[in-house]
Amino acid sequence: MKFPIIEYNQNNYHFISTVLPFDLINSSSETLVYGKNLGGYQREPDGLHFNRIKNYILKDDKFLFPTSIILGVDSELIKSFIIVENGISYIDFSTIKSKIFRIVDGQHRLRGLEEAAKINSTLKELPLSVNILCTPPNSKSLEMEIFGNINSKSKRIKVDLIELARYEYHIIEKSINSSEINEHLSIRVAFNLNENKDSKNVWENAIKFGIHDDEKIGIIGVNAFRESIKSIVSSYLINNKGISSLQDGELIEKTKTASSEIEEFLLQAWNIVFEKWPSCFDISQEQIDFDLDVKKFHYKNNYYIQKTLGAKSINGLLGSVISENNNKIDLSSLDIFKAILSKSDTVTTDWEIGNTFSGYSSESGFAKVAKIISGELKSNKI
């Protein structure tokens, strides 16, 4: 069971191009799922999506899949399965007994075909165009980057897990430094808050991870939010110096624990913010996102409080409180923060778009807003 291949290089990447029957691709490849597989960066297949593909296959006898399935494989491993006969190169599948390929692009097409083949078994022999990226040792992040490039240039999918996986690959490939640990933790905290469905979490679906300009859900970009909590994460790392000495899986697991602890702290801090200015938030709104999911959220677009201005000024103030309290991310810092807000003269209308805080759009402006909240500066109320 051998299939002819063409090998070529493109921008220093080595590819194999071939045509394979669906069933063979399906039995020798897998999708790396974030949180389930080491180095995973994709979500579990979306049932709505692959069932649409299944129905398309079964209902349209002229269905086509002209776009190549993209797989990844370890460059050294695939060499042992390539044979040359009469000047033609082949992959010999008779000796492949496991899922050696990683699905980079095409998991929903393959899953749709899998479901359709349960009804029409002839689909197992359906020929599909395949491009295989031969990944050098310690460079599996190449596959993730290609996945990200494909989906940032054309298809509309969520790429938040790519941001998380990118840093995990840096850890695995031993190319992460201390500043990137802060970034990784901040991104993970943002992801946790965005996904947390606790009814008291005002950040549920408020942070935009997407790469689409017309993304409907969210009020602040992930980079702006990440920067807003940078000082808080720095304080956590100061009190947990051992993190930077960890490696590989231990470091990945510790960042998961650390991000959960910081997330819980921020949930409590923003409950205090909510209690101070409740009218700046919505009890619960719902909207259908571009991926057809119904999303709940609590932000109000006509207030600055969860936009970049609010996040950076409030989280900046919180970071200062923590720093001055011996970098303690605990109840004592929350008590100080609560006392500051309870005495603050800042009112709901100050947060309204076009009102008191209008024009405070720079880092120095955010710092001034933090000082206005704490009472160090007087505001020029409109």
Side-chain angles (χ1 to χ4, degrees):
M1 195 165 49
K2 60 186 181 182
F3 293 84
I5 61 173
I6 297 173
E7 296 187 72
Y8 62 97
N9 292 316
Q10 186 181 101
N11 292 331
N12 297 319
Y13 297 145
H14 186 66
F15 285 93
I16 295 172
S17 183
T18 187
V19 175
L20 301 173
F22 155 70
D23 197 45
L24 187 60
I25 300 171
N26 209 37
S27 64
S28 59
S29 63
E30 63 178 344
T31 300
L32 297 186
V33 175
Y34 186 82
K36 180 179 178 181
N37 307 105
L38 181 63
Y41 54 88
Q42 300 191 48
R43 283 181 163 77
E44 293 279 5
D46 182 340
L48 186 64
H49 190 175
F50 69 68
N51 276 314
R52 280 201 193 107
I53 294 173
K54 179 193 79 172
N55 291 334
Y56 163 63
I57 294 167
L58 295 175
K59 292 179 180 179
D60 188 344
D61 58 4
K62 295 183 179 179
F63 75 89
L64 287 173
F65 291 121
T67 306
S68 294
I69 302 294
I70 300 178
L71 306 177
V73 69
D74 295 341
S75 58
E76 294 302 312
L77 177 62
I78 193 61
K79 288 178 182 177
S80 61
F81 300 109
I82 294 177
I83 59 175
V84 179
E85 295 178 354
N86 300 319
I88 300 174
S89 297
Y90 300 86
I91 294 180
D92 183 3
F93 279 85
S94 64
T95 56
I96 297 177
K97 305 299 181 183
S98 61
K99 295 179 181 288
I100 68 168
F101 299 106
R102 298 173 290 273
I103 302 169
V104 176
D105 189 59
Q107 69 154 320
H108 286 97
R109 278 172 283 165
L110 293 174
R111 184 60 186 274
L113 278 164
E114 180 180 336
E115 295 301 314
K118 294 175 182 177
I119 299 170
N120 180 0
S121 62
T122 63
L123 291 169
K124 293 180 179 181
E125 299 304 315
L126 181 73
L128 295 172
S129 171
V130 179
N131 276 330
I132 303 169
L133 170 66
C134 301
T135 307
N138 296 319
S139 298
K140 287 192 179 71
S141 56
L142 285 175
E143 297 170 18
M144 177 195 67
E145 297 296 348
I146 288 175
F147 173 80
N149 287 337
I150 291 169
N151 292 298
S152 66
K153 298 295 187 291
S154 55
K155 293 183 290 184
R156 299 164 52 80
I157 70 160
K158 294 179 287 187
V159 292
D160 45 2
L161 297 186
I162 294 179
E163 293 295 333
L164 292 176
R166 179 174 287 116
Y167 289 101
E168 292 191 4
Y169 270 117
H170 287 177
I171 293 170
I172 295 168
E173 296 169 6
K174 304 186 188 303
S175 60
I176 195 167
N177 56 44
S178 57
S179 66
E180 287 182 311
I181 292 176
N182 186 308
E183 288 186 14
H184 177 47
L185 272 176
S186 300
I187 291 283
R188 186 178 283 282
V189 170
F191 175 79
N192 289 353
L193 285 170
N194 211 46
E195 297 289 315
N196 190 324
K197 300 187 186 306
D198 189 308
S199 60
K200 294 183 178 180
N201 174 27
V202 298
W203 289 105
E204 181 183 4
N205 293 315
I207 304 169
K208 294 186 178 186
F209 279 81
I211 37 70
H212 305 290
D213 292 338
D214 59 345
E215 187 177 0
K216 295 179 180 179
I217 307 298
I219 193 170
I220 184 173
V222 63
N223 286 330
F225 187 86
R226 172 182 62 78
E227 290 168 4
S228 81
I229 63 172
K230 188 174 181 180
S231 63
I232 299 170
V233 174
S234 292
S235 289
Y236 184 94
L237 292 172
I238 288 171
N239 277 335
N240 293 270
K241 291 184 172 65
I243 291 179
S244 59
S245 64
L246 299 176
Q247 294 182 344
D248 302 335
E250 284 187 336
L251 180 53
I252 291 173
E253 289 306 312
K254 181 57 182 177
T255 58
K256 290 178 181 178
T257 302
S259 62
S260 294
E261 292 173 356
I262 298 169
E263 173 201 6
E264 179 57 34
F265 179 83
L266 285 171
L267 281 172
Q268 295 180 63
W270 277 84
N271 280 336
I272 295 170
V273 176
F274 175 84
E275 290 169 1
K276 175 65 177 178
W277 301 292
S279 295
C280 293
F281 304 89
D282 207 307
I283 294 175
S284 184
Q285 285 270 17
E286 289 186 354
Q287 190 171 342
I288 298 176
D289 204 358
F290 70 81
D291 55 5
L292 302 181
D293 283 345
V294 176
K295 299 292 182 63
K296 292 183 179 180
F297 56 90
H298 306 275
Y299 59 82
K300 286 184 177 180
N301 278 307
N302 56 326
Y303 287 90
Y304 289 121
I305 200 163
Q306 286 184 274
K307 292 178 182 285
T308 300
L309 187 158
K312 286 202 170 184
S313 57
I314 292 173
N315 285 335
L317 173 59
L318 179 59
S320 296
V321 167
I322 296 167
S323 178
E324 293 169 9
N325 191 34
N326 296 316
N327 298 301
K328 293 179 180 177
I329 297 181
D330 61 9
L331 288 176
S332 65
S333 290
L334 288 173
D335 287 341
I336 297 169
F337 181 64
K338 186 173 184 177
I340 291 172
L341 293 198
S342 67
K343 296 176 182 177
S344 176
D345 293 330
T346 300
V347 296
T348 297
T349 53
D350 292 326
W351 291 110
E352 289 179 352
I353 299 295
N355 213 323
T356 306
F357 295 145
S358 177
Y360 291 91
S361 57
S362 64
E363 294 298 328
S364 61
F366 305 146
K368 287 178 181 178
V369 172
K371 289 181 178 180
I372 291 170
I373 295 170
S374 67
E376 292 182 56
L377 287 177
K378 291 293 182 182
S379 65
N380 298 316
K381 292 182 181 287
I382 296 175

